[in-house]
Amino acid sequence: MTKCLICKTSIEPFLSLRKMPIANGFLHPDQFTGEYFYDLAIGFCSTCYMVQLINHVDREKMFHDQYAFFSSTSAHMAAHFKAFADEMKTRYLKGKADPFVAEIGSNDGIFLQHMSHGGIRHLGIEPSGNVAQVAREKGVHTISEFFDEQLAKKIRAKHGPADLFIGANVMCHIPYLHSVMAGIAHLLAEDGRLVFEDPYLGDIIEKTSYDQIYDEHAFYFSVSSMEYLVEQHGLRVVDAQPQSVHGGSMRYTIAHKGAVRVSDRVKNQKKKEKDLGLNRKETYNRFRRHVEASRERLTDLLGQLKQKGASVVGYGATSKSTTVLNYCRIGPDLLSCIYDTTPIKIGTYTPGMHIPVRDYKEFSDKYPDYAVLFAWNHKEEILKKEKQFSRQGGKFIVYISRVRVEN
Ligand code: SAH
Ligand code: TMP
Ligand code: ZN
């Protein structure tokens, strides 16, 4: 029996996605033997409503000096973080004498560069050494450590309280979330705000985006489960704002209990979650059936295309694609390669299924008949860039929310 990481009661597994490799573990042929695999499975806690992984991969296996995800590879995300930083400055930092902003999982400095350029005192906490180094080169103060309660105490002793504590696509990565929340409660100034965003459970369920399930995503948050968690640390969810990025995210604003009025949006969102059935086990069983049907449709489609002799590739060697490829058993026989923009991924092979990753610039050298869009959350940006592919008759295959060939 597995215990809930948040409330310690037992959780109910609802979907098992087979043996999985590390989602961002792109590798070279000499590493194929000895590749690490674990059982990917997900469960629901009917006490605190937290959806979570059943098994966890050691953090050092995921976040290290060869980490493959660089936030700034997407121009759309860069614009998102610029707008996010501008909003935070106006709302919470204006008029404050010498404010201090800390960010967890600051990666290559995509957010904090706007604080650094504005002359605002800041600190990035980013354990993956290679991406942290890129941030430092941009003038972003960064320490390469894992954030937890102990580190929070050290940061407060050195820099004083934080007026603003930011996180994007990182809170959901951390199984020891109680330690993180206790640390933030300790570090946050009396009138400070914790503002963070993560993929939203409601969107995952509605869109059957099972590809959000992988080793790094230990949790799948909702406003209801977040409320349960933070209240144990004297904190309160004071706002919840849906975001379109990463296929549907939620931005949570959290403050010390009693410090700030709670927005009506929190109550409204919790009502929506109830209507969606996020508090009921049946919802997750239905999700499992949708996932299984999606796998069947995608593998059927790729099998038919192969029989017809069509050329099919992948577009975007995302961490999400690792789940799809391994769960659906899609290998180089069905997809000859995957094109991507990330230098550290180019020339490697995908985790588990070992499909070669090629430079996206070679995509136009010989257009395939079809390209499976694994970076579906960057669809607009990619379609704009690859207009010529579509113009000359190429077709994208999309599998979210349902499997289809785009016309
Ligand atoms: N915020 C960026 C990066 C998200 S990827 C964005 O939204 O694009 C998640 C990042 O969190 C990785 O760079 C990883 O190294 C970092 N991370 C993982 N565990 C962490 C921890 N305990 N403390 C701080 N950062 C962590
Ligand atoms: P993400 O979905 O986790 O943000 O990862 C995006 C991946 O897709 C990353 O490996 C870079 C790749 N990508 C492209 O290849 N082309 C693009 O235009 C964009 C935006 C991303
Ligand atoms: Zn629980």
Side-chain angles (χ1 to χ4, degrees):
M1 202 171 51
T2 312
K3 286 221 159 114
C4 171
L5 285 171
I6 303 305
C7 76
K8 312 284 184 235
T9 62
S10 65
I11 52 174
E12 305 171 58
F14 62 86
L15 173 63
S16 170
L17 292 131
R18 297 185 166 164
K19 291 259 177 252
M20 274 289 153
I22 304 287
N24 267 311
F26 293 85
L27 70 183
H28 294 281
D30 61 341
Q31 299 166 306
F32 288 173
T33 47
E35 187 176 7
Y36 178 84
F37 287 87
Y38 68 100
D39 285 311
L40 178 61
I42 184 170
F44 166 65
C45 173
S46 52
T47 305
C48 73
Y49 305 149
M50 190 66 87
V51 172
Q52 56 200 282
L53 289 190
I54 308 288
N55 307 304
H56 299 273
V57 170
D58 291 345
R59 61 189 191 180
E60 287 79 9
K61 279 199 168 68
M62 300 184 281
F63 310 116
H64 42 61
D65 293 350
Q66 295 292 316
Y67 187 54
F69 178 73
F70 287 71
S71 301
S72 298
T73 47
S74 162
H76 179 70
M77 288 311 295
H80 170 79
F81 282 111
K82 161 98 172 59
F84 187 3
D86 286 345
E87 190 182 325
M88 292 299 101
K89 281 190 216 167
T90 329
R91 276 205 183 179
Y92 304 124
L93 305 179
K94 227 182 205 161
K96 277 215 163 122
D98 193 26
F100 175 51
V101 181
E103 188 191 359
I104 181 171
S106 44
N107 202 276
D108 59 13
I110 192 165
F111 175 89
L112 277 184
Q113 62 188 350
H114 302 293
M115 298 297 163
S116 164
H117 297 162
I120 294 165
R121 206 153 57 82
H122 64 275
L123 181 68
I125 302 127
E126 176 45 69
S128 296
N130 57 337
V131 294
Q133 189 51 32
V134 174
R136 285 184 201 109
E137 282 157 18
K138 289 180 189 163
V140 175
H141 300 302
T142 309
I143 51 169
S144 282
E145 287 189 66
F146 287 97
F147 184 85
D148 59 10
E149 187 174 9
Q150 229 186 344
L151 184 66
K153 286 184 175 155
K154 283 192 208 151
I155 294 174
R156 177 151 182 155
K158 190 164 175 196
H159 301 273
D163 299 282
L164 193 56
F165 191 97
I166 299 289
N169 309 300
V170 57
M171 287 296 182
C172 72
H173 289 49
I174 310 181
Y176 44 102
L177 204 48
H178 275 303
S179 170
V180 168
M181 281 300 165
I184 293 170
H186 176 81
L187 183 58
L188 213 56
E190 260 174 60
D191 63 344
R193 299 286 195 289
L194 158 64
V195 186
F196 71 94
E197 51 189 51
D198 277 297
Y200 180 56
L201 178 64
D203 287 290
I204 295 173
I205 297 295
E206 281 193 306
K207 296 176 187 156
T208 316
S209 47
Y210 68 92
D211 56 352
Q212 293 283 8
I213 305 169
Y214 54 90
D215 52 356
E216 291 182 22
H217 291 171
F219 295 108
Y220 305 80
F221 297 142
S222 62
V223 176
S224 315
S225 61
M226 190 48 62
E227 204 163 58
Y228 184 100
L229 166 70
V230 303
E231 298 220 343
Q232 294 184 29
H233 298 278
L235 300 168
R236 183 138 242 204
V237 179
V238 296
D239 204 356
Q241 297 162 278
Q243 308 288 316
S244 64
V245 295
H246 286 304
S249 295
M250 186 62 74
R251 183 180 294 170
Y252 306 89
T253 304
I254 288 161
H256 287 293
K257 219 172 242 172
V260 182
R261 198 189 81 83
V262 178
S263 156
D264 288 345
R265 278 195 285 251
V266 174
K267 194 173 70 202
N268 296 342
Q269 196 64 38
K270 278 196 299 180
K271 162 124 195 353
K272 275 191 198 158
E273 292 178 354
K274 239 183 167 169
D275 295 345
L276 248 178
L278 297 188
N279 57 346
R280 288 201 311 271
K281 194 174 176 221
E282 302 86 80
T283 306
Y284 302 101
N285 286 332
R286 193 175 60 232
F287 173 75
R288 182 190 55 243
R289 292 194 295 275
H290 290 169
V291 172
E292 288 164 355
S294 173
R295 170 173 66 178
E296 207 170 304
R297 283 196 204 109
L298 184 60
T299 48
D300 278 357
L301 174 61
L302 294 180
Q304 283 163 20
L305 293 177
K306 188 184 171 181
Q307 269 199 333
K308 275 199 336 200
S311 55
V312 190
V313 305
Y315 201 105
T318 56
S319 29
K320 296 190 287 298
S321 71
T322 296
T323 296
V324 177
L325 295 170
N326 286 275
Y327 175 63
C328 301
R329 288 277 181 274
I330 299 168
D333 55 323
L334 293 175
L335 287 189
S336 56
C337 70
I338 303 192
Y339 291 101
D340 198 278
T341 50
T342 318
I344 197 174
K345 292 183 188 173
I346 294 166
T348 66
Y349 290 77
T350 65
M353 296 311 294
H354 304 161
I355 298 172
V357 182
R358 302 225 170 98
D359 192 335
Y360 83 105
K361 287 184 199 132
E362 294 167 20
F363 182 59
S364 55
D365 290 351
K366 189 175 181 299
Y367 283 129
D369 300 318
Y370 296 87
V372 181
L373 188 58
F374 290 112
W376 56 270
N377 49 310
H378 302 288
K379 189 172 166 189
E380 251 178 63
E381 187 171 345
I382 291 171
L383 257 49
K384 212 155 112 196
K385 193 154 62 181
E386 301 296 356
K387 267 194 197 126
Q388 191 50 30
F389 169 59
S390 312
R391 271 198 203 123
Q392 54 81 56
K395 299 224 184 298
F396 279 107
I397 295 170
V398 183
Y399 54 88
I400 302 288
S401 306
R402 58 189 171 78
V403 175
R404 63 192 187 277
V405 176
E406 290 269 295
N407 286 305

